[in-house]
Amino acid sequence: MIRYSNPSLKLENARQNSGKVAWRSPSNIALVKYWGKYGLQLPRNPSVSLTLSASYTETTLAFLPRQQASKARFDKKISLEFYFEDQPAPAFEAKIEKFLESLLPIFPFLADLHLEIFSHNSFPHSAGIASSASSMAALALCLCSMEEVLFGTTLTQDDFYQKASFLARLGSGSAARSIHGRAVIWGKTSKQWETSEEWGVPFEALHPIFEDYQDTILLIHEGEKSVSSRAGHALMNQNPFSAIRYEQAHKHAVLMLEALQSGDLEKFIDITEKEAFVLHALMMVSEPSFVLMKPNTLRAIEAIQFFRQQTQIPICFTLDAGPNVHILYPKSYQERVLPFIKSELAPLAHHSKYILDQVSEGSIALD
Ligand code: PMV
């Protein structure tokens, strides 16, 4: 039985049957990477991330009884209109429809509603920034808010966020971490921290230096990813290094949480950069193999490491499953780092583009 399954949530029992809810959820950047999964989107190893602020998705969900909607679809289990940047988006719509169908045991009332979903990203879709984390987190929060509008508030705030993180995970694993702000852990760790494979948990003991940590995202190459994360995760099942990797990730998660608690930037940098390299190394040795870095990715990495060596400024990089480079540094060094980014790194980016982002409070409900 799926957690949160509630067959009694029928539209006929709702206290009101239409409304509109909206959430903004930021993207997150993994420091310890989730790469490899099993079962229903459960991670093979714990991951740790920082939640961003400038890169976000805003989602509005309007709902009314299916019988009353002029555009209702009665030939489908889910009656849905999906708009991305105010345009109908059939490819996304099909994906969301499938996701919502899978949630019917949790939200049986979805069968009796017509839904209109409007989604907007703060960053261009083609920028190569993963939007599944922010978009699935915002959608999951909208679904939980819709349930509250329909049936009243039954969950504590903590349980509300836990449920949203659980639902977001079913849509996209890393989305489980975009519900909460600052630093988030998802997956079981071997140490004292209480964590879960089913939802992300905020890391409460975060050292203040990380609360406004900077992440400047260098857009090396814009465009769709050459391998979907679904395919990438699946490749881990055959990867000859997967067992060693999962063991390493467990160790890295503990070391990273220790660094996030103590503010030990040397340890933070060491683990962060190792994790970026190992993610890409795993893809390079997969069958088939993928090289997701571009020549300018490596040039940027080299320049960042050289700058750190020369200046002793605690700047480092991480990578997602693509060529863009996330440049991480404490806010107090911003004045010294930004001129370096502008003069040395921006020329390596596509049209010299980068996004100035930083750690945030997490998702927020919109009016
Ligand atoms: O959430 P997914 O299935 O798109 O996987 C994300 C995987 C990485 O972004 C590469 C790493 C991570 O932990 O976010």
mmCIF file of all heavy atoms in Angstrom, residues 209 214 265 307 311-315 329-339:
data_model
loop_
_atom_site.group_PDB
_atom_site.id
_atom_site.type_symbol
_atom_site.label_atom_id
_atom_site.label_comp_id
_atom_site.label_asym_id
_atom_site.label_seq_id
_atom_site.Cartn_x
_atom_site.Cartn_y
_atom_site.Cartn_z
ATOM 1 N N ILE A 209 27.650 29.988 7.842
ATOM 2 C CA ILE A 209 28.354 30.386 6.605
ATOM 3 C C ILE A 209 27.620 29.870 5.350
ATOM 4 O O ILE A 209 27.700 30.460 4.280
ATOM 5 C CB ILE A 209 29.829 29.924 6.605
ATOM 6 C CG1 ILE A 209 30.617 30.714 5.556
ATOM 7 C CG2 ILE A 209 29.982 28.426 6.354
ATOM 8 C CD1 ILE A 209 32.112 30.597 5.653
ATOM 9 N N GLN A 214 26.934 31.257 -1.959
ATOM 10 C CA GLN A 214 26.682 31.675 -3.344
ATOM 11 C C GLN A 214 26.848 30.496 -4.310
ATOM 12 O O GLN A 214 27.741 29.664 -4.135
ATOM 13 C CB GLN A 214 27.677 32.781 -3.741
ATOM 14 C CG GLN A 214 27.614 34.000 -2.845
ATOM 15 C CD GLN A 214 26.274 34.711 -2.941
ATOM 16 O OE1 GLN A 214 25.928 35.239 -3.982
ATOM 17 N NE2 GLN A 214 25.519 34.711 -1.850
ATOM 18 N N LEU A 265 35.435 24.400 5.533
ATOM 19 C CA LEU A 265 35.347 24.601 4.083
ATOM 20 C C LEU A 265 36.320 23.720 3.302
ATOM 21 O O LEU A 265 36.061 23.366 2.160
ATOM 22 C CB LEU A 265 35.565 26.080 3.734
ATOM 23 C CG LEU A 265 34.459 27.021 4.222
ATOM 24 C CD1 LEU A 265 34.717 28.443 3.743
ATOM 25 C CD2 LEU A 265 33.072 26.570 3.762
ATOM 26 N N PHE A 307 42.581 29.618 -9.354
ATOM 27 C CA PHE A 307 42.241 30.836 -8.602
ATOM 28 C C PHE A 307 42.246 30.543 -7.089
ATOM 29 O O PHE A 307 42.740 31.336 -6.291
ATOM 30 C CB PHE A 307 40.853 31.327 -9.065
ATOM 31 C CG PHE A 307 40.369 32.577 -8.393
ATOM 32 C CD1 PHE A 307 40.915 33.824 -8.692
ATOM 33 C CD2 PHE A 307 39.329 32.535 -7.460
ATOM 34 C CE1 PHE A 307 40.451 34.981 -8.076
ATOM 35 C CE2 PHE A 307 38.861 33.687 -6.841
ATOM 36 C CZ PHE A 307 39.423 34.920 -7.157
ATOM 37 N N THR A 311 44.768 32.469 -4.541
ATOM 38 C CA THR A 311 44.186 33.466 -3.636
ATOM 39 C C THR A 311 43.839 32.921 -2.256
ATOM 40 O O THR A 311 43.565 33.691 -1.343
ATOM 41 C CB THR A 311 42.871 34.017 -4.224
ATOM 42 O OG1 THR A 311 41.970 32.913 -4.353
ATOM 43 C CG2 THR A 311 43.076 34.699 -5.565
ATOM 44 N N GLN A 312 43.790 31.599 -2.137
ATOM 45 C CA GLN A 312 43.333 30.937 -0.896
ATOM 46 C C GLN A 312 41.856 31.235 -0.604
ATOM 47 O O GLN A 312 41.385 31.030 0.511
ATOM 48 C CB GLN A 312 44.195 31.357 0.320
ATOM 49 C CG GLN A 312 45.669 31.036 0.171
ATOM 50 C CD GLN A 312 45.908 29.533 -0.030
ATOM 51 O OE1 GLN A 312 45.389 28.718 0.699
ATOM 52 N NE2 GLN A 312 46.658 29.185 -1.063
ATOM 53 N N ILE A 313 41.140 31.740 -1.591
ATOM 54 C CA ILE A 313 39.692 31.962 -1.415
ATOM 55 C C ILE A 313 38.989 30.600 -1.530
ATOM 56 O O ILE A 313 39.256 29.842 -2.473
ATOM 57 C CB ILE A 313 39.153 32.952 -2.487
ATOM 58 C CG1 ILE A 313 39.720 34.351 -2.213
ATOM 59 C CG2 ILE A 313 37.628 32.982 -2.506
ATOM 60 C CD1 ILE A 313 39.345 35.391 -3.263
ATOM 61 N N PRO A 314 38.102 30.267 -0.582
ATOM 62 C CA PRO A 314 37.478 28.936 -0.601
ATOM 63 C C PRO A 314 36.366 28.818 -1.645
ATOM 64 O O PRO A 314 35.176 28.699 -1.313
ATOM 65 C CB PRO A 314 36.928 28.791 0.825
ATOM 66 C CG PRO A 314 36.701 30.187 1.282
ATOM 67 C CD PRO A 314 37.699 31.065 0.582
ATOM 68 N N ILE A 315 36.750 28.843 -2.873
ATOM 69 C CA ILE A 315 35.800 28.736 -3.982
ATOM 70 C C ILE A 315 35.935 27.313 -4.538
ATOM 71 O O ILE A 315 37.028 26.751 -4.543
ATOM 72 C CB ILE A 315 36.146 29.790 -5.063
ATOM 73 C CG1 ILE A 315 35.167 29.746 -6.232
ATOM 74 C CG2 ILE A 315 37.556 29.655 -5.564
ATOM 75 C CD1 ILE A 315 35.417 30.872 -7.258
ATOM 76 N N TYR A 329 30.798 29.541 -3.319
ATOM 77 C CA TYR A 329 31.702 30.314 -2.461
ATOM 78 C C TYR A 329 30.899 31.056 -1.392
ATOM 79 O O TYR A 329 29.720 31.372 -1.588
ATOM 80 C CB TYR A 329 32.545 31.305 -3.289
ATOM 81 C CG TYR A 329 31.738 32.170 -4.237
ATOM 82 C CD1 TYR A 329 31.330 33.460 -3.882
ATOM 83 C CD2 TYR A 329 31.355 31.686 -5.495
ATOM 84 C CE1 TYR A 329 30.580 34.240 -4.751
ATOM 85 C CE2 TYR A 329 30.600 32.458 -6.365
ATOM 86 C CZ TYR A 329 30.216 33.731 -5.988
ATOM 87 O OH TYR A 329 29.458 34.491 -6.840
ATOM 88 N N PRO A 330 31.550 31.387 -0.268
ATOM 89 C CA PRO A 330 30.853 32.136 0.780
ATOM 90 C C PRO A 330 30.550 33.553 0.303
ATOM 91 O O PRO A 330 31.345 34.151 -0.421
ATOM 92 C CB PRO A 330 31.843 32.167 1.954
ATOM 93 C CG PRO A 330 32.872 31.146 1.633
ATOM 94 C CD PRO A 330 32.918 31.015 0.154
ATOM 95 N N LYS A 331 29.439 34.095 0.777
ATOM 96 C CA LYS A 331 29.014 35.432 0.347
ATOM 97 C C LYS A 331 30.060 36.507 0.680
ATOM 98 O O LYS A 331 30.232 37.475 -0.062
ATOM 99 C CB LYS A 331 27.674 35.787 1.009
ATOM 100 C CG LYS A 331 26.999 36.990 0.373
ATOM 101 C CD LYS A 331 25.656 37.266 1.042
ATOM 102 C CE LYS A 331 25.068 38.575 0.605
ATOM 103 N NZ LYS A 331 24.342 38.535 -0.641
ATOM 104 N N SER A 332 30.774 36.293 1.768
ATOM 105 C CA SER A 332 31.749 37.303 2.185
ATOM 106 C C SER A 332 32.869 37.496 1.140
ATOM 107 O O SER A 332 33.583 38.493 1.189
ATOM 108 C CB SER A 332 32.350 36.930 3.540
ATOM 109 O OG SER A 332 32.919 35.651 3.441
ATOM 110 N N TYR A 333 33.034 36.537 0.232
ATOM 111 C CA TYR A 333 34.070 36.663 -0.795
ATOM 112 C C TYR A 333 33.531 37.182 -2.125
ATOM 113 O O TYR A 333 34.257 37.243 -3.117
ATOM 114 C CB TYR A 333 34.757 35.313 -1.032
ATOM 115 C CG TYR A 333 35.642 34.894 0.112
ATOM 116 C CD1 TYR A 333 35.163 34.045 1.106
ATOM 117 C CD2 TYR A 333 36.951 35.348 0.204
ATOM 118 C CE1 TYR A 333 35.967 33.652 2.172
ATOM 119 C CE2 TYR A 333 37.771 34.978 1.253
ATOM 120 C CZ TYR A 333 37.268 34.126 2.240
ATOM 121 O OH TYR A 333 38.071 33.764 3.272
ATOM 122 N N GLN A 334 32.241 37.540 -2.135
ATOM 123 C CA GLN A 334 31.592 37.894 -3.397
ATOM 124 C C GLN A 334 32.346 38.988 -4.167
ATOM 125 O O GLN A 334 32.545 38.883 -5.375
ATOM 126 C CB GLN A 334 30.169 38.359 -3.088
ATOM 127 C CG GLN A 334 29.245 38.319 -4.266
ATOM 128 C CD GLN A 334 27.853 38.767 -3.855
ATOM 129 O OE1 GLN A 334 27.707 39.649 -3.006
ATOM 130 N NE2 GLN A 334 26.842 38.177 -4.441
ATOM 131 N N GLU A 335 32.753 40.011 -3.427
ATOM 132 C CA GLU A 335 33.404 41.152 -4.100
ATOM 133 C C GLU A 335 34.697 40.764 -4.802
ATOM 134 O O GLU A 335 35.082 41.365 -5.791
ATOM 135 C CB GLU A 335 33.708 42.247 -3.087
ATOM 136 C CG GLU A 335 32.554 43.200 -2.971
ATOM 137 C CD GLU A 335 32.847 44.346 -2.032
ATOM 138 O OE1 GLU A 335 34.025 44.774 -1.930
ATOM 139 O OE2 GLU A 335 31.891 44.792 -1.373
ATOM 140 N N ARG A 336 35.380 39.765 -4.260
ATOM 141 C CA ARG A 336 36.640 39.336 -4.887
ATOM 142 C C ARG A 336 36.396 38.273 -5.957
ATOM 143 O O ARG A 336 37.182 38.155 -6.898
ATOM 144 C CB ARG A 336 37.601 38.811 -3.814
ATOM 145 C CG ARG A 336 38.082 39.957 -2.905
ATOM 146 C CD ARG A 336 38.889 39.429 -1.762
ATOM 147 N NE ARG A 336 40.157 38.852 -2.214
ATOM 148 C CZ ARG A 336 40.935 38.080 -1.436
ATOM 149 N NH1 ARG A 336 40.573 37.831 -0.189
ATOM 150 N NH2 ARG A 336 42.059 37.587 -1.903
ATOM 151 N N VAL A 337 35.328 37.515 -5.793
ATOM 152 C CA VAL A 337 35.083 36.413 -6.741
ATOM 153 C C VAL A 337 34.408 36.911 -8.023
ATOM 154 O O VAL A 337 34.739 36.457 -9.122
ATOM 155 C CB VAL A 337 34.243 35.305 -6.065
ATOM 156 C CG1 VAL A 337 33.759 34.289 -7.080
ATOM 157 C CG2 VAL A 337 35.063 34.600 -4.981
ATOM 158 N N LEU A 338 33.488 37.867 -7.890
ATOM 159 C CA LEU A 338 32.728 38.282 -9.077
ATOM 160 C C LEU A 338 33.598 38.843 -10.212
ATOM 161 O O LEU A 338 33.384 38.489 -11.381
ATOM 162 C CB LEU A 338 31.611 39.254 -8.701
ATOM 163 C CG LEU A 338 30.370 38.583 -8.092
ATOM 164 C CD1 LEU A 338 29.288 39.604 -7.793
ATOM 165 C CD2 LEU A 338 29.817 37.475 -8.993
ATOM 166 N N PRO A 339 34.594 39.682 -9.905
ATOM 167 C CA PRO A 339 35.460 40.148 -11.007
ATOM 168 C C PRO A 339 36.167 38.992 -11.711
ATOM 169 O O PRO A 339 36.321 38.988 -12.936
ATOM 170 C CB PRO A 339 36.476 41.062 -10.303
ATOM 171 C CG PRO A 339 35.810 41.466 -9.029
ATOM 172 C CD PRO A 339 34.925 40.335 -8.632
#
